[in-house]
Amino acid sequence: MPALLRSSSVLSALVTVVVASPAANAADQSWAGVRSRQAFVSDTNHARVHHDRRVLRVTSRLTEVAQNWAQWMARHHTMEHNPNLESQVHNWQSIGENVGSGGSEPPIHRAFMNDTYHRDNILSPDYTQVGIGTARDGNGRLYVDEVFKRPA
């Protein structure tokens, strides 16, 4: 896959991180979900600044798409790319997606940064916007979907 994303193409990759994590109750999952999304956004933008890239602007629409997909993955105990991403995200010139799962945010983000395709999405100068969704399955496993976009 090319390092830079071309118009109307999708650069994406999958990552799985095996980390033990206790299952949380529903109230904890809600608060933990907000914190884990914020942590992914913070770590993503920190990596971008560290590599002389502009921070990504979080949009509610991309976050909604990412959150819905993270919940789908957690509900189905599977990790895969959103097959409807290109039609769910409108007005885009470039779009990308990272999906991952594991016990918590830090090792998943590290795995993203240690993988060429995930790292390329996170650091791509093409992207200006991001939406991140997280959800835990009944066993406490964390699923994340990161959606990157450059508007048309």
Side-chain angles (χ1 to χ4, degrees), residues 4-11 89 91-96 124 126-129 147-152:
L4 292 177
L5 196 59
R6 291 188 170 74
S7 175
S8 300
S9 64
V10 177
L11 175 65
V89 176
N91 189 37
W92 56 270
Q93 179 179 358
S94 299
I95 190 171
S124 175
D126 261 6
Y127 300 129
T128 59
Q129 300 176 353
V147 178
F148 303 92
K149 174 183 167 181
R150 177 182 190 93

Side-chain angles (χ1 to χ4, degrees), residues 33-34 37-38 41 56-71 82 85 88-89 129-134 144-149:
V34 169
R37 284 191 301 275
Q38 291 171 341
V41 169
L56 297 171
R57 183 172 65 85
V58 177
T59 71
S60 60
R61 179 61 186 142
L62 292 180
T63 299
E64 179 184 355
V65 170
Q67 185 61 37
N68 287 341
W69 191 249
Q71 289 171 335
N82 181 345
L85 182 65
Q88 290 175 349
V89 176
Q129 300 176 353
V130 69
I132 297 176
T134 62
V144 62
D145 186 33
E146 300 180 330
V147 178
F148 303 92
K149 174 183 167 181

